[in-house]
């Protein structure tokens, strides 16, 4: 067990909130996103080798975000605004050369269709006819976007504005317009609006330092992507950058990581991967198709009176005795301690086994706003754990009245791709560890062991079929098909868009890679003339239940049954055999009919 002093020498933290207040959730609301798109003539120039224009790529990104919002968070607000246009359309028409194509509202099928109309060559012609290209005043466009936000009366948790342009000097060196744009951008940032630049490729390159470095917002924290120096020239690159900014980074909880007496680090718990599921069905009133709400009420079983929550108690049977408890008593029994992470010690990484992973992990990241100095102390802990190849062992209580769990904090360093886009964030993966009660003793069946020749041949097959697996490269075909069908219905499409089932094995490529190895392995494992693909022959029952011999009754035994009125105790098959034995003709197969026929035969 490493001591805490080995990791930190002269670091202190200043707590700005009480430990009990950490763990509460921040006020939530709707997310909002405004696309501010340059409509100048430069945006409509096609790329080399038939590449789509910057305007076409931007419309594809807008459509993708619209559809993802409809699926994942349809209550979020999205707007689409063009600047540098010939025509003007905005609230009260206060700004020239600014065209509000979609105001700040919830996305819907109609909006997706309207964005689709702006894509491709036909879309470029429609855009030229509808909005055109004219003078540019980014300050007026930002002012118009500020008015869109001010007109919204709903509570907004995130306000983000994305600028799409391929011009690094939108005003052509006009210092007055540049100053107006910088002033309005500063006003927007003061109201909580985050301004991002999605700059696109243009001949000669895009120089951010000329103008836009003063417009965009600084990174919200170290996990933010920040300003990208290289412009986007591919649709995939642009989509990746937009998703990195657009996706919500909401913490499941905010807690204290207690490293020792008086040393608390504020951390946020994040879910990096959540199982995607089909949305649940919504019950509708059949007359109006309006959603209905269901309520559950509890009634007394004897009197039928309505019970209030204060009148309901809980009970547990133990040793044949009913133990009745109040709700407050149940909550007190469940509570072990306040929510938080408590450091126990450090263990070498080889102590953590694969079979210790019993549920999906969550991610740990510092929250500087909660406790000052958390980022510095957290970075030091992460760096030392990574250098010494150890993990931190902690006791974890995620919420109030939740049972404690042992967790391992697995260090993870930051990784960036070629475009300086963050692939892996820095932080700790929280691995839930099993208790002693969770381990099971298994009795695996015994099978014959493979020979070394067979093992070597299988190693060759495995080495031929190796590939780099990335979970993000495989989509769930069931969910994808489900949403394609919904999209086709909502957009009045003739047929849903076809999907590629990426989890289907590529048989042709596998056969080409393996060649004769499969047949060689079969020859080593299976005996001659054996076809493993053929259905096995039906096995004859050898140890099954033996067929019971027929029970034959004599005439005296039957008369005794009649005298004692015990014929009803005989089974139907026995009665049928007796009728055949004494030549009794029966018209039915019911038990009483057989008994009556036998009695009439014996009395005649």
């Amino acid at each position: 067990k490493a001591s805490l002093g080995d990791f930190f020498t002269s670091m202190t933290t200043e707590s700005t909130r009480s430990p009990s207040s950490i763990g509460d959730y921040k006020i939530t609301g709707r997310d909002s996103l405004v696309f501010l798109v340059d409509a100048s003539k430069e945006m409509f120039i096609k790329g080399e080798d038939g590449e789509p224009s910057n305007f076409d790529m931007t419309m594809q990104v807008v459509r993708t975000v619209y559809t993802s919002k409809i699926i994942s968070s349809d209550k979020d607000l999205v707007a689409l605004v063009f600047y540098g246009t010939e025509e003007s359309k905005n609230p009260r028409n206060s700004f020239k050369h600014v065209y509000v194509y979609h105001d700040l509202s919830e996305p819907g099928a109609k909006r997706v269709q309207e964005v689709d109309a702006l894509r491709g060559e036909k879309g470029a012609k429609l855009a030229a006819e509808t909005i055109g290209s004219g003078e540019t005043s980014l300050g007026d466009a930002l002012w118009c976007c500020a008015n869109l936000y001010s007109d919204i009366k709903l509570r907004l948790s995130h306000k983000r504005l994305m600028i799409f342009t391929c011009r690094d000097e939108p005003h052509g060196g006009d210092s007055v317009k540049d100053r107006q744009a910088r002033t309005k951008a500063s006003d927007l940032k003061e109201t909580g609006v985050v301004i991002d630049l999605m700059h696109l490729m243009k001949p000669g390159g895009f120089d951010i330092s000329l103008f836009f470095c003063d417009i965009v917002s600084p990174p919200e924290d170290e996990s933010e992507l920040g300003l990208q120096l290289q412009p986007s020239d591919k649709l995939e690159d642009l989509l990746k950058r937009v998703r990195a900014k657009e996706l919500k980074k909401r913490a499941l909880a905010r807690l204290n990581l207690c490293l020792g007496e008086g040393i608390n680090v504020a951390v946020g718990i994040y879910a990096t991967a959540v199982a995607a599921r089909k949305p649940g069905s919504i019950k509708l009133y059949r007359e109006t198709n309006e959603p209905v709400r269901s309520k559950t009420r509890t009634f007394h079983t004897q009197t039928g009176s309505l019970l209030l929550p204060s009148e309901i108690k809980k009970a547990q049977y133990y040793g044949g005795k009913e133990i009745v408890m109040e709700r407050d008593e149940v909550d007190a029994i469940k509570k072990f301690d306040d929510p938080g992470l408590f450091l126990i010690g450090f263990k070498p990484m080889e102590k953590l086994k694969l079979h210790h992973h019993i549920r999906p992990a969550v991610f740990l990241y510092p929250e500087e706003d909660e406790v000052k100095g958390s980022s510095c102390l957290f970075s030091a802990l992460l760096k030392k754990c990574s250098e010494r190849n150890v993990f931190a062992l902690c006791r974890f209580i995620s919420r109030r009245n939740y049972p404690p769990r042992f967790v391992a904090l697995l260090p993870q360093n930051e990784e960036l791709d070629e475009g300086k886009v963050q692939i892996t964030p820095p932080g700790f993966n929280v691995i839930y560890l099993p208790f002693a009660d969770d381990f099971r003793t298994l009795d695996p069946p015994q099978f014959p062991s493979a020979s070394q020749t067979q093992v070597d041949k299988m190693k060759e097959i495995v080495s031929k079929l190796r590939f780099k697996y990335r979970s993000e490269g495989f989509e769930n075909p069931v969910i994808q098909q489900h949403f394609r069908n919904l999209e086709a219905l909502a957009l009045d499409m003739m047929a849903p868009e076809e999907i590629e089932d990426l989890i289907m094995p590529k048989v042709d490529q596998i056969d080409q890679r393996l060649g004769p190895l499969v047949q060689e392995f079969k020859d080593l494992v299976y005996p001659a003339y054996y076809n493993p693909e053929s259905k096995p022959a039906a096995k004859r029952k050898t140890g099954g239940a033996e067929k019971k011999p027929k029970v034959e009754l004599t005439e005296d035994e039957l008369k005794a049954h009649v005298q004692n009125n015990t014929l009803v105790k005989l089974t139907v098959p026995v009665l049928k055999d007796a009728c055949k034995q004494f030549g009794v003709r029966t018209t039915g197969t019911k038990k009483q009919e057989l008994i009556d026929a036998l009695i009439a035969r014996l009395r005649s």
Side-chain angles (χ1 to χ4, degrees), residues 135-389:
E135 296 182 11
T136 298
S137 176
L138 187 59
D140 288 346
L142 294 174
W143 198 339
C144 179
C145 294
N147 290 344
L148 291 180
Y149 279 114
S150 62
D151 292 340
I152 297 298
K153 305 303 180 185
L154 300 171
R155 178 187 292 170
L156 300 178
S157 60
H158 293 78
K159 294 187 286 187
R160 192 175 290 274
L161 187 148
M162 291 186 179
I163 302 174
F164 293 80
T165 183
C166 63
R167 296 186 294 168
D168 48 13
E169 287 187 290
H171 304 129
D174 190 332
S175 59
V176 176
K177 288 186 176 181
D178 286 352
R179 185 172 62 255
Q180 290 175 349
R182 292 189 180 98
T183 303
K184 201 58 205 176
S186 177
D187 295 342
L188 273 172
K189 286 182 278 190
E190 287 180 0
T191 60
V193 178
V194 179
I195 303 176
D196 293 319
L197 176 64
M198 299 297 158
H199 50 300
L200 305 163
M201 182 63 72
K202 77 178 186 69
F206 196 107
D207 190 355
I208 297 173
S209 61
L210 294 177
F211 172 72
F212 278 102
C213 61
D214 301 324
I215 299 295
V216 297
S217 301
E220 297 179 39
D221 51 49
E222 293 181 4
S223 67
E224 280 292 322
L225 192 60
L227 193 62
Q228 297 295 325
L229 299 178
Q230 298 298 325
S232 300
D233 59 347
K234 299 288 185 182
L235 176 61
E236 294 77 12
D237 181 35
L238 185 59
L239 275 172
K240 186 187 297 184
R241 293 187 181 186
V242 171
R243 282 171 181 159
K245 289 288 188 179
E246 181 261 333
L247 289 177
K248 295 185 286 288
K249 301 176 180 64
R250 286 179 176 166
L252 298 176
R254 289 177 172 84
L255 309 166
N256 266 343
L257 170 59
C258 182
L259 302 178
E261 187 175 354
I263 305 178
N264 292 322
V265 178
V267 293
I269 307 294
Y270 296 87
T272 56
V274 181
R277 296 182 176 89
K278 295 180 185 177
S281 58
I282 300 175
K283 294 182 179 180
L284 304 176
Y285 183 49
R286 66 178 182 180
E287 301 294 338
T288 60
N289 273 353
E290 294 180 354
V292 296
R293 295 177 61 185
S294 59
K295 289 186 177 180
T296 302
R297 295 183 178 181
T298 307
F299 295 90
H300 197 284
T301 54
Q302 296 178 354
T303 63
S305 60
L306 179 64
L307 296 177
L308 299 175
S310 59
E311 299 174 330
I312 300 174
K313 299 181 179 180
K314 295 190 175 184
Q316 176 75 42
Y317 285 93
Y318 185 81
K321 186 178 180 180
E322 184 183 33
I323 304 172
V324 181
M325 292 174 285
E326 300 285 347
R327 286 181 177 269
D328 295 340
E329 294 174 327
V330 175
D331 293 340
I333 291 174
K334 289 182 178 179
K335 183 175 180 179
F336 283 83
D337 205 344
D338 292 327
L341 282 154
F342 305 89
L343 180 65
I344 297 174
F346 302 92
K347 290 284 186 180
M349 204 67 73
E350 55 266 19
K351 294 290 185 180
L352 189 62
K353 307 298 182 183
L354 285 175
H355 62 270
H356 290 164
H357 189 277
I358 57 174
R359 58 170 287 185
V362 292
F363 191 71
L364 208 64
Y365 196 80
E367 295 285 339
E368 185 70 20
D369 295 338
E370 307 292 342
V371 176
K372 293 181 180 179
S374 294
S375 297
C376 180
L377 193 54
F378 188 91
S379 299
L381 177 64
L382 178 65
K383 180 180 179 181
K384 288 298 180 182
C385 286
S386 181
E387 287 179 356
R388 301 192 178 188
N389 197 30

Side-chain angles (χ1 to χ4, degrees), residues 425-450:
F428 286 96
N429 288 299
V430 182
I431 309 296
Y432 291 86
L433 299 176
F435 289 108
D437 316 78
D438 299 329
F439 287 99
R440 299 166 59 191
T441 302
L442 301 178
D443 187 15
Q446 298 296 324
F447 294 103
S449 300

Side-chain angles (χ1 to χ4, degrees), residues 45-72:
I45 299 175
K46 283 193 173 184
E48 299 177 357
D49 301 327
E51 293 290 329
S53 64
N54 289 328
F55 185 85
D56 197 17
M57 281 200 306
T58 304
M59 290 302 101
Q60 176 64 36
V61 170
V62 173
R63 189 208 191 267
T64 302
V65 174
Y66 272 25
T67 53
S68 66
K69 288 284 187 185
I70 291 173
I71 292 171
S72 60

